[in-house]
Amino acid sequence: MEIFERVLEASPDARDQLIRDETGNDAELAATVRAMLTADASANDLLDDGIGRLAHLAVEPGHVESTEVLPGARIGDFEIIAELGRGGMGIVYAARDRTLGRVAALKLLPAGAAIDSAASERLIAEAQAASALDHPNVATIYQIGVTHDGHRFIAMARYEGETLRDRLARGPLASREAFGIARQVASGLAAAHAAGLVHRDVKPENIFLTRQGLVKLLDFGIATLAGSPREGPTRGTVLYMSPEQARCELADARSDVWSLGVVLYEMLTGQPPFTGDTAAEILGQIADASPVKLPSVVRKIPTAAVATIARALEKDPGKRYANGSEFSVDLDRVHGLWSRPRNLRIGIAVAAGIAIVAASIALLNDDRVSTPEMPQLAVLPVAGDSADHEATELASALSEEIAARVVGLGRVRIVPLRRDSAGYVVSRPGLHLLSLVIQRDPIGPVLEVSLEESSSSRTMWSDRRGFDRKELRELGRDVVIGVLHALGQPVTERERGIIGSGFPSSAEAYEEYLRGNRLLALRTPPAVESALVRYRRASRLDTTFAGAFARQSYAYSLLLEWGWKPSRLVPADPLVEGLALANRATMLDSTSADAWLAQAYILVQRDPRRFAGAVEAFQYAISLDPYNAEAFHQYGQTLTALGRYPEALAAYRRALALEPDRAMSLVPMAAIYKRQGRLAESLRLLDSAVSAAPRVPYARAARSTSRTLTGNAKGARDDAEIALGLDSNYRIPPLAALARALWLSGDSLAALARLREAERSVADPSAPSPTEAYWIAMAEVAAGRTERATTLLRDARPKGAWLWFYFQGPELDELRKNPEVAALLADVDPRRRVR
Amino acid sequence: MKTSTEDLLRGARAGDKEATDTLFGIAYDELRRIARRVRHGGNETLSTTALVHEAYLKLLPSAVPANDTAHFKLLIARAMREVLIDGARRRTAGKRGGGDIAVTLDDDVQAAPLKTAQLLELHAALEELEQVDPRRVAVVECRFFGGLDVEETAAALNLSTATVKRDWRVARAWLAKALL
């Protein structure tokens, strides 16, 4: 190269000589230099064009979807409104029928498929015939056709709900639910098979679960219509293929039976029976391997269920069910084994709740804390000997439980303790004070209980007992009964049992429970997982301890809300577990506000779109314990996400009245104000939140964003930076808030660096939680990257009320003007009426 | 983690690995984003120079010291190289595996596969050259992938314009020969 450089510098005449001198006898080297000289003198397309015309290579082919059309485009009888999603088989759009006005889901297939027109006609006819079946489990097709540029499209009825694939992304289904879905699919297949039609592509993507619980089979005949024979099969498409399909033989009804068998297996276990890293590997498994035995994966699966699936998955089509109809008979039979629906009990429980709710709603609307005829009770903090710290702590927890029990029976009101400026308890007629004191005694700690009327200081009842850790239940029950008795409220025999169940029968269980409470209060995923383990132990040590079951369910709800991922500590499906645990808790003690709170919270998780039943359960929990700030707060949160702002604000105000410095409640109130355009009030609330809890990161992160809306980029930056340093588990909101503030102050590279960091902190980038999606989207929008924000919204899970609420903020005003965003948000709007 | 844009740029120029990686990543993302957007808009005539320039304007609106911005331009050029090579690899991988839909929207459908192959060859040649002559590779990156002119390249690499001119000519001849 150096030689070449010198040669280049020489005059053209002298070059030849120079090459000879420099290379000596090395002919190869001389040739190289000469070749370089030639290359230097001649043009080179690639190098001289620069890469001007290569810029498009930066985009991978997958993004160059030939089926992309813009809103407003006309296809068949339809006008495109917005993109709904995309998959391997083209893009799905929301489209309006120009004559009938109805909105349809329009799927535009790639043009590439080289199918001869006769085959194509046949398949179109088949899809139309399937639609003509008019079966409740087969999706209705409005129109099938070809666009002027040769793309096939299918316009079908648009249903509310999700695909089975979406559902599976949250984990396996309960056996009953799985068989319930499978029998509906089989029923749809049965009708098709009877008409001589074969689906050929039964898979979770093609099974749609409507919100009404109806299952719709999509895409009849379309698989072959869209598939390109030139291309080899991909991993995703072979998982559900029957052995005969894998051998490229003709698929008949029995092939559909196989595919549904695979889907059913996957619903139960979360994994398809035949898997592998490559298509070839999977095909090999389908042909030869037997799947992992169901009973080793699924707990308590009936033999009939195992046999049914085994028959659907026979390698030899002749040994399988002959068609959907035969399959559905056995599926129905198996489904019938679960005679009592898992959710029925919740249904009953909620119904019971609603009956009593009328009273609690009246209470919510009434700002006075008490009605005069009920005795009032305030509980003094437990006084104890510092030498026996453990006993004192146990007694403190016990006193809370006692208060909850007394309230649970509905005949006494517990009121917050009020103190005057000197620290003395404010007394008034009708207010009773309960005090518990732990004393030291040679035989062990002793508990002294006394109840006195506050204005007269008259002792109404007192007791002194050994504080035996093995007899907490008896102790607690006796105190509750003693208090009620002294207040003129005798206790029935049935109530005695209920009261007892509120207390743990073993001190070990209680201690585990208290440790769990401490962990739960930290509100971080690892702490909540550890809390779960404590509660689980507590409930094993004492299987009648309602509180342990309730809190366990509550912890599951928290994890679900934060985007649960399977872990060593929480391997089961938290939704199913949570529902069962909340049921168990309300069954053990129907008067426990905690149990109802757990019930309400898990119902929120069960139906992220509308929180069916949750509002009623919250109201019932509140009626049982109207002094539970946490219950009001959670109730407020639920109403917030549902867009019921005035009611939500009222609930937060109650929570604040009970615990004035709750930053936790101030922040969502500020969020509502922000959405109502009351920015100044919103900022004032956030100021109070930050000063009440300067070390709570979410108050700072929220204020940071609000400050950017008023142009206070400097303040926004400070808040976000401080928030970032407060909690190593709380990363994404402060990072995104900081990115936004940095961008708005012109620090673009630093902003994008923070944004990258935030993006990388997302637990599951393919499905960010609504919170994660919101925070990052808000920073992306500030940086002008609206398409990234849209992608976040599109990918966020679960799709529901929270996603809707988060994306209503004024910082996303611009984004919401995008038609796709508007359509995505309309879809999750909890206020919209369901068809 | 640096807090401001200035800190990041200064850090990268001083050789701080974390700052360099972060900036490189940002440039990579931004280039792909712009390229994709231009594709969707149907504008096929976008040149790399325009692309790099747009990324540069987008990412550096505030005033920063000239030598820092020059170094950042070098990073953008390197990112552009990687973006193009990754794109080319994805294309060829897609063809072999048969999983992806073939590109059909190109105006130059015929030219695309050819250029993809050439680009990968060029990349290989550059990697070879890197072994013996990293400075000239840097010049090629700035001029070819970054669309920088001689003066900008000189500033980014802290070289004289004469050296840049000579390096470019030598490297170009070497690469042209290697690509024959």
Side-chain angles (χ1 to χ4, degrees):
Chain A
M1 192 131 3
E2 278 61 39
I3 302 172
F4 173 68
E5 201 176 333
R6 278 193 292 280
V7 170
L8 216 50
E9 277 161 10
S11 72
D13 314 333
R15 281 180 185 167
D16 228 32
Q17 185 57 47
L18 192 58
I19 292 174
R20 270 196 296 276
D21 294 351
E22 292 276 357
T23 59
N25 287 330
D26 192 339
E28 201 182 325
L29 184 60
T32 306
V33 175
R34 277 184 225 283
M36 281 172 78
L37 260 183
T38 319
D40 178 55
S42 52
N44 180 295
D45 264 4
L46 180 71
L47 292 166
D48 297 343
D49 273 5
I51 35 173
R53 281 185 284 137
L54 289 181
H56 64 271
L57 294 180
V59 190
E60 71 264 40
H63 281 273
V64 191
E65 263 290 357
S66 47
T67 54
E68 212 160 303
V69 290
L70 294 171
R74 290 180 176 186
I75 290 174
D77 296 339
F78 295 88
E79 183 179 319
I80 299 296
I81 305 171
E83 185 180 314
L84 290 176
R86 32 182 91 198
M89 276 213 286
I91 305 181
V92 183
Y93 297 93
R96 185 178 291 106
D97 188 321
R98 284 174 15 231
T99 42
L100 299 174
R102 64 189 172 188
V103 175
L106 189 143
K107 187 180 267 193
L108 205 49
L109 305 172
I115 301 178
D116 64 86
S117 63
S120 157
E121 288 309 315
R122 184 171 56 78
L123 291 165
I124 287 181
E126 210 165 282
Q128 265 157 349
S131 179
L133 292 174
D134 197 22
H135 188 276
N137 298 121
V138 177
T140 309
I141 295 178
Y142 293 149
Q143 194 185 6
I144 302 178
V146 182
T147 63
H148 60 88
D149 54 351
H151 291 119
R152 291 177 211 297
F153 71 89
I154 296 133
M156 58 195 140
R158 203 180 156 196
Y159 300 105
E160 301 274 333
E162 59 181 353
T163 66
L164 178 56
R165 172 62 68 217
D166 295 333
R167 170 60 191 86
L168 281 169
R170 299 195 298 271
L173 286 73
S175 306
R176 180 177 192 279
E177 201 185 351
F179 275 87
I181 290 169
R183 64 194 272 260
Q184 291 197 48
V185 176
S187 167
L189 284 174
H193 294 160
L197 301 167
V198 185
H199 188 287
R200 292 190 191 87
D201 195 21
V202 176
K203 58 183 180 185
E205 288 78 1
N206 283 339
I207 295 170
F208 198 86
L209 314 175
T210 72
R211 215 166 295 150
Q212 292 81 0
L214 212 55
V215 178
K216 299 276 183 186
L217 190 50
L218 309 176
D219 285 3
F220 255 97
I222 290 161
T224 338
L225 194 65
S228 163
R230 284 179 308 176
E231 289 166 3
T234 60
R235 191 183 173 279
T237 55
V238 300
L239 286 171
Y240 306 92
M241 270 187 189
S242 64
E244 60 273 22
Q245 274 177 308
R247 291 189 302 266
C248 293
E249 289 166 17
L250 211 59
D252 62 11
R254 293 169 300 181
S255 207
D256 285 347
V257 167
W258 168 283
S259 302
L260 179 53
V262 174
V263 170
L264 179 53
Y265 186 100
E266 185 173 355
M267 284 196 275
L268 292 167
T269 65
Q271 285 291 325
F274 310 102
T275 57
D277 291 333
T278 63
E281 210 173 302
I282 299 169
L283 290 172
Q285 294 259 321
I286 290 173
D288 299 324
S290 26
V292 178
K293 294 266 175 288
L294 273 171
S296 64
V297 199
V298 185
R299 272 187 307 163
K300 290 193 224 156
I301 181 136
T303 334
V306 177
T308 303
I309 294 172
R311 192 164 160 206
L313 293 180
E314 283 285 354
K315 307 280 184 203
D316 175 3
K319 291 186 183 161
R320 265 177 241 154
Y321 296 103
N323 50 45
S325 172
E326 275 190 15
F327 194 8
S328 76
V329 170
D330 272 4
L331 287 171
D332 278 349
R333 206 162 47 81
V334 173
H335 184 249
L337 294 175
W338 292 276
S339 54
R340 267 191 76 175
R342 186 181 279 278
N343 296 331
L344 191 63
R345 278 182 295 165
I346 295 180
I348 294 168
V350 170
I354 293 167
I356 316 169
V357 158
S360 58
I361 293 174
L363 182 89
L364 282 175
N365 295 334
D366 182 352
D367 249 11
R368 286 162 301 168
V369 255
S370 61
T371 45
E373 62 270 21
M374 270 201 200
Q376 295 179 22
L377 183 71
V379 183
L380 293 165
V382 172
D385 194 315
S386 58
D388 200 346
H389 181 70
E390 203 189 328
T392 310
E393 207 171 304
L394 205 53
S396 298
L398 190 68
S399 81
E400 279 174 30
E401 219 56 64
I402 288 168
R405 291 310 99 201
V406 169
V407 150
L409 293 176
R411 289 192 232 119
V412 173
R413 288 207 179 287
I414 300 274
V415 298
L417 207 56
R418 294 231 166 80
R419 291 175 190 273
D420 62 18
S421 51
Y424 290 106
V425 173
V426 177
S427 60
R428 67 189 139 84
L431 173 67
H432 303 82
L433 300 172
L434 177 68
S435 76
L436 279 75
V437 180
I438 292 283
Q439 285 179 342
R440 233 170 147 185
D441 193 278
I443 54 155
V446 168
L447 179 70
E448 221 178 61
V449 191
S450 71
L451 179 74
E452 66 176 49
E453 205 278 333
S454 68
S455 59
S456 62
S457 295
R458 185 166 63 90
T459 301
M460 321 264 305
W461 174 70
S462 70
D463 198 4
R464 185 184 153 86
R465 308 186 31 171
F467 190 66
D468 186 341
R469 292 152 41 99
K470 289 200 182 65
E471 286 179 5
L472 288 176
R473 171 168 290 178
E474 290 70 23
L475 213 70
R477 186 181 57 205
D478 290 352
V479 173
V480 171
I481 293 169
V483 166
L484 284 168
H485 201 81
L487 292 172
Q489 307 287 335
V491 173
T492 66
E493 209 40 55
R494 196 184 72 83
E495 285 171 336
R496 285 180 78 93
I498 293 174
I499 295 167
S501 71
F503 299 99
S505 60
S506 91
E508 284 73 33
Y510 204 36
E511 274 159 10
E512 290 290 347
Y513 170 79
L514 294 176
R515 281 197 201 106
N517 285 352
R518 256 171 262 139
L519 287 162
L520 195 71
L522 297 176
R523 287 286 197 275
T524 64
V528 171
E529 287 200 348
S530 311
L532 258 173
V533 175
R534 297 291 177 182
Y535 293 137
R536 206 179 286 157
R537 263 186 228 157
S539 61
R540 281 196 195 127
L541 286 164
D542 178 356
T543 53
T544 60
F545 184 12
F549 289 101
R551 289 286 163 93
Q552 215 174 314
S553 170
Y554 201 81
Y556 276 126
S557 293
L558 282 171
L559 291 178
L560 281 165
E561 186 151 319
W562 296 333
W564 170 83
K565 295 284 167 301
S567 74
R568 193 177 52 79
L569 294 177
V570 192
D573 181 337
L575 185 62
V576 173
E577 290 284 315
L579 285 165
L581 289 161
N583 273 342
R584 180 88 185 256
T586 45
M587 291 263 167
L588 284 169
D589 182 359
S590 62
T591 68
S592 154
D594 239 18
W596 282 98
L597 198 55
Q599 186 78 266
Y601 202 21
I602 197 76
L603 288 173
V604 165
Q605 312 306 324
R606 188 174 69 143
D607 174 16
R609 286 181 178 262
R610 285 173 220 277
F611 308 154
V615 167
E616 291 78 7
F618 272 121
Q619 290 172 343
Y620 190 46
I622 287 166
S623 75
L624 288 170
D625 181 3
Y627 308 100
N628 185 333
E630 175 73 11
F632 276 106
H633 174 79
Q634 287 295 356
Y635 179 49
Q637 293 253 291
T638 300
L639 294 167
T640 301
L642 291 173
R644 292 161 66 171
Y645 297 154
E647 294 164 84
L649 288 171
Y652 291 130
R653 283 196 199 100
R654 290 300 296 259
L656 285 164
L658 293 165
E659 286 176 20
D661 286 346
R662 289 177 64 92
M664 213 191 234
S665 298
L666 287 164
V667 176
M669 280 180 91
I672 292 178
Y673 283 150
K674 192 168 73 172
R675 279 154 182 76
Q676 293 176 329
R678 297 152 75 180
L679 204 53
E681 286 166 89
S682 173
L683 268 170
R684 255 204 315 280
L685 282 182
L686 290 172
D687 287 343
S688 327
V690 170
S691 58
R695 301 198 53 77
V696 168
Y698 53 79
R700 294 255 185 204
R703 189 169 72 176
S704 170
T705 314
S706 288
R707 281 179 162 178
T708 59
L709 291 170
T710 58
N712 181 3
K714 169 80 176 68
R717 198 167 155 167
D718 292 346
D719 268 340
E721 270 170 358
I722 294 171
L724 199 52
L726 288 176
D727 180 353
S728 58
N729 285 307
Y730 190 76
R731 300 288 294 167
I732 293 173
L735 280 170
L738 185 53
R740 185 178 160 90
L742 284 167
W743 185 275
L744 296 174
S745 43
D747 241 340
S748 44
L749 279 176
L752 293 176
R754 294 304 191 171
L755 199 43
R756 276 172 74 77
E757 216 184 321
E759 281 163 356
R760 281 164 188 205
S761 308
V762 175
D764 177 1
S766 67
S769 71
T771 335
E772 291 169 338
Y774 157 73
W775 281 100
I776 298 176
M778 159 216 97
E780 299 280 16
V781 166
R785 312 202 291 188
T786 49
E787 76 286 350
R788 281 192 178 219
T790 310
T791 306
L792 283 161
L793 174 61
R794 196 189 301 133
D795 293 345
R797 294 287 183 281
K799 293 260 178 282
W802 276 115
L803 190 61
W804 173 82
F805 174 76
Y806 277 125
F807 277 75
Q808 296 305 308
E811 58 277 13
L812 296 176
D813 278 351
E814 274 308 307
L815 184 68
R816 286 197 303 276
K817 289 180 186 154
N818 174 324
E820 187 192 346
V821 170
L824 285 165
L825 288 175
D827 179 54
V828 289
D829 187 341
R831 303 164 307 173
R832 195 180 45 150
R833 297 220 171 274
V834 194
R835 261 201 301 186
Chain B
M1 188 61 162
K2 306 291 177 292
T3 45
S4 74
T5 297
E6 285 81 354
D7 290 338
L8 269 172
L9 287 170
R10 204 179 308 122
R13 191 162 59 87
D16 174 8
K17 179 139 190 338
E18 195 186 328
T20 305
D21 286 353
T22 304
L23 287 179
F24 183 85
I26 289 171
Y28 183 94
D29 284 357
E30 192 59 25
L31 288 169
R32 280 197 49 189
R33 202 178 72 84
I34 297 170
R36 196 177 306 154
R37 199 194 60 221
V38 172
R39 267 334 275 296
H40 281 218
N43 179 1
E44 299 293 332
T45 59
L46 173 83
S47 74
T48 3
T49 317
L51 208 149
V52 167
H53 190 66
E54 190 174 337
Y56 173 70
L57 284 184
K58 170 81 191 290
L59 297 175
L60 268 190
S62 55
V64 277
N67 44 5
D68 285 343
T69 57
H71 183 78
F72 183 56
K73 283 182 181 173
L74 170 67
L75 282 177
I76 294 188
R78 293 216 161 122
M80 189 74 226
R81 174 177 169 190
E82 193 150 316
V83 165
L84 285 171
I85 300 305
D86 286 353
R89 283 200 182 121
R90 266 195 296 274
R91 280 171 179 246
T92 44
K95 285 204 182 65
R96 272 200 302 279
D100 286 326
I101 308 160
V103 191
T104 51
L105 273 190
D106 291 334
D107 289 340
D108 48 349
V109 188
Q110 305 302 319
L114 185 67
K115 291 218 166 161
T116 305
Q118 278 184 329
L119 195 61
L120 291 175
E121 278 174 38
L122 174 66
H123 178 66
L126 279 171
E127 280 187 332
E128 198 183 316
L129 187 58
E130 177 104 47
Q131 303 301 318
V132 292
D133 200 344
R135 192 187 73 200
R136 288 199 171 104
V137 171
V139 170
V140 172
E141 281 177 329
C142 287
R143 300 277 285 120
F144 186 81
F145 291 101
L148 303 191
D149 61 25
V150 173
E151 282 73 29
E152 286 172 318
T153 306
L157 297 174
N158 212 4
L159 299 171
S160 74
T161 53
T163 308
V164 169
K165 278 183 194 158
R166 203 168 49 241
D167 278 357
W168 170 244
R169 193 168 170 195
V170 171
R172 182 192 167 283
W174 190 88
L175 288 169
K177 193 214 63 146
L179 292 177
L180 277 180

